[in-house]
Amino acid sequence: MSENKRLLDDESKAFSKASRVKYFNIVVDSGKGATITDADGKTYIDLLASASSTNTGHSHPHIVKAIQDQAAKLIQYTPAYFANNPAVKLAPRLAALAPISGPVELSWGNSGSDANDAMIKFARAYTGRPYIVSFTGAYHGSTFGSLTLSSVSLNMSRKIGPLLPDVVKVPYPDPWQRLDGEDEDAFVDRMFKAFLQPFETYLPAEEVAAVVIEPIQGDGGIVKAPTAFVQKLAAFAKKNGILLAVDEVNQGMGRSGKWWSIEHFDVEPDLMVVGKSLASGMPLSAVIGRKEILESLNAPANVFTTAGNPVTTAAAMATLDVMEDEDLVGRSVKLGKKASDFFAKEKAKYPFIGDFRMYGLDGGIDIVDPETGEPDPEATTKLIYRVFELGAIIISLRGNILRFQPPLVITEEQLDQAFGMLDQAFSELAAGKLELPDNADEIGW
């Protein structure tokens, strides 16, 4: 019996199925740069970057040293009552990076989920209004507030209602859902009209605290909203005293070729949340916003025993060092262009690649039935499993979208190796050589 199987069999006796989206039956044992190694000693090129939470790669020496040095000094003393040295230094450094004019403050959390909850708290407190608007296809987290904002899977609402009240969802302007013959201007007009419909029929704008959006949706398929739509949204929000709140948990920290994905749109948010890669995967998040908004609540409205603790904030300080010293934002742009060129060539060769988008080193590749153009989840599962067998980790979103988010430190040689594996899998699918794994019905969202 393999070590992977032995460990997973032992875990299954004590681990809830609600706590993991299944893909491949491995136990990750170690990682270095853009590779991970499982309990059986097999190494894979990582094209997922731990769900975009390790943009700096695995076990970066500078970050490891920061964690080790801080752990030897002080692992935890609750930031709920006392400051600690790394957090004191990190707060102004991170606030200065926010794409928000004027005085900026932040509040720590442990995950993107509780940071989105915090965004709801501060928006309601500052405006004195109850309603929050979010978008279909969104993933904001798994706490009750963030889960209520989300709408990427029915299992995030099935059996667990009632959810947070006064949250209204509107259609996300997914450009890949344009009608035949519909140009972008007409699409934006149509989607903005759908956005306005609640405000014109039952939702008083003066009672809405915030609109929460992923400028580029992550788990919704790596999909960028049209710039004109986001600008119309920002103007509407400003006109009506509604806060524009952006979720940068998945798409921030250089992932899209900018520090923050909202920087692609030439608008400023009032609030934003960060997490995942903020501390290179260590449990740290933050809600960041205009000072007057973050001053609208008093402690203990957003206090956590471990949020902003010494080790996680030391890791985040080192993460920012690596992002800046190795120009990982610029690297995301450069390698994203290389990836875009590769997928353009593959699309020309294989009709089952319906379309793709790449924003920095951040891509979604649609797998479709060549005859109908409809999503093909079965072919997608065959592909990700074959790529896994060949030695790389890539997963699916929405059933038929390949999620391409390698660590920003991946080498060009590793990227070329991964492209070779993807091309082999594509060619084998085209030749009818791929079969579904035995557990195909368990795989994916």
Side-chain angles (χ1 to χ4, degrees):
M1 180 184 295
S2 76
E3 186 68 359
N4 282 324
K5 180 170 175 26
R6 185 188 70 78
L7 290 169
L8 289 170
D9 285 349
D10 284 349
E11 181 196 49
S12 69
K13 301 166 188 172
F15 190 68
S16 167
K17 65 181 181 180
S19 297
R20 180 176 300 139
V21 181
K22 283 195 174 183
Y23 280 99
F24 314 120
N25 291 324
I26 60 170
V27 176
V28 180
D29 184 65
S30 62
K32 191 70 175 174
T35 65
I36 59 172
T37 301
D38 71 13
D40 288 335
K42 183 172 180 179
T43 297
Y44 305 84
I45 296 174
D46 183 7
L47 302 180
L48 177 62
S50 183
S52 195
S53 67
T54 53
N55 289 358
T56 57
H58 304 289
S59 301
H60 191 290
H62 182 65
I63 299 167
V64 169
K65 185 175 189 306
I67 292 170
Q68 289 174 332
D69 288 351
Q70 182 56 50
K73 193 174 181 181
L74 177 68
I75 292 176
Q76 160 70 356
Y77 202 93
T78 179
Y81 297 119
F82 305 107
N84 64 74
N85 199 287
V88 164
K89 294 174 180 175
L90 177 62
R93 186 178 180 185
L94 181 58
L97 286 171
I100 302 171
S101 300
V104 173
E105 289 187 355
L106 58 77
S107 182
W108 300 124
N110 295 295
S111 72
S113 297
D114 62 46
N116 274 292
D117 281 12
M119 195 154 59
I120 296 170
K121 296 178 194 176
F122 283 106
R124 286 177 167 172
Y126 177 72
T127 63
R129 302 173 176 185
Y131 288 102
I132 307 289
V133 174
S134 65
F135 288 83
T136 56
Y139 180 82
H140 295 290
S142 291
T143 52
F144 254 90
S146 60
L147 180 146
T148 305
L149 296 177
S150 304
S151 60
V152 74
S153 169
L154 287 172
N155 284 345
M156 297 183 75
S157 56
R158 182 178 280 124
K159 301 181 181 180
I160 53 179
L163 301 180
L164 195 71
D166 296 340
V167 172
V168 176
K169 294 185 174 71
V170 293
Y172 189 80
D174 179 346
W176 311 107
Q177 301 301 318
R178 275 163 51 172
L179 302 176
D180 290 342
E182 185 177 44
D183 64 21
E184 180 161 316
D185 288 344
F187 172 71
V188 168
D189 288 344
R190 177 167 64 87
M191 296 307 297
F192 196 67
K193 184 177 180 180
F195 168 79
L196 289 176
Q197 188 175 25
F199 294 94
E200 294 169 345
T201 54
Y202 68 90
L203 182 63
E206 67 272 16
E207 295 182 24
V208 176
V211 176
V212 180
I213 188 170
E214 294 169 277
I216 301 174
Q217 284 194 339
D219 293 287
I222 317 296
V223 181
K224 179 178 178 288
T227 299
F229 179 92
V230 176
Q231 291 177 344
K232 282 175 177 283
L233 171 64
F236 175 85
K238 185 173 183 179
K239 177 182 177 182
N240 289 281
I242 299 169
L243 301 182
L244 178 63
V246 298
D247 185 333
E248 295 282 351
V249 175
N250 187 305
Q251 297 292 310
M253 297 295 292
R255 173 52 61 190
S256 71
K258 303 276 189 183
W259 263 102
W260 314 110
S261 66
I262 192 63
E263 292 179 293
H264 290 279
F265 300 87
D266 195 28
V267 300
E268 278 194 21
D270 298 296
L271 287 167
M272 60 185 284
V273 295
V274 298
K276 286 188 183 286
S277 279
L278 173 59
S280 293
M282 293 286 281
L284 179 68
S285 66
V287 56
I288 310 172
R290 292 191 283 115
K291 180 183 177 72
E292 61 266 30
I293 301 173
L294 270 290
E295 289 291 316
S296 63
L297 289 172
N298 290 315
N302 202 57
V303 164
F304 304 89
T305 301
T306 58
N309 87 19
V311 176
T312 61
T313 51
M317 285 288 285
T319 297
L320 296 182
D321 291 344
V322 171
M323 291 289 301
E324 293 169 353
D325 294 347
E326 300 184 17
D327 187 22
L328 293 190
V329 178
R331 188 170 180 78
S332 179
V333 174
K334 175 186 174 184
L335 297 186
K337 176 63 167 61
K338 182 180 177 77
S340 185
D341 291 345
F342 166 75
F343 285 113
K345 291 176 183 175
E346 298 298 287
K347 183 180 184 301
K349 285 164 50 177
Y350 302 111
F352 53 76
I353 299 179
D355 220 321
F356 74 93
R357 48 243 168 238
M358 196 68 57
Y359 319 110
L361 202 52
D362 181 36
I365 301 93
D366 300 337
I367 305 301
V368 301
D369 183 317
E371 294 184 6
T372 66
E374 292 299 309
D376 193 341
E378 188 171 290
T380 308
T381 298
K382 289 178 180 178
L383 284 170
I384 63 171
Y385 200 81
R386 181 59 179 144
V387 171
F388 165 67
E389 291 177 326
L390 292 170
I393 299 293
I394 191 167
I395 68 167
S396 58
L397 296 170
R398 290 171 59 172
N400 77 304
I401 298 170
L402 302 180
R403 177 178 183 167
F404 185 81
Q405 292 184 310
L408 304 183
V409 298
I410 191 170
T411 67
E412 294 200 45
E413 181 183 4
Q414 289 170 327
L415 209 50
D416 286 335
Q417 290 173 352
F419 292 157
M421 296 175 196
L422 286 162
D423 182 67
Q424 181 176 337
F426 291 153
S427 66
E428 290 175 353
L429 178 66
K433 294 181 179 179
L434 298 187
E435 295 185 358
L436 287 169
D438 292 339
N439 66 332
D441 60 335
E442 297 179 336
I443 289 178
W445 285 71

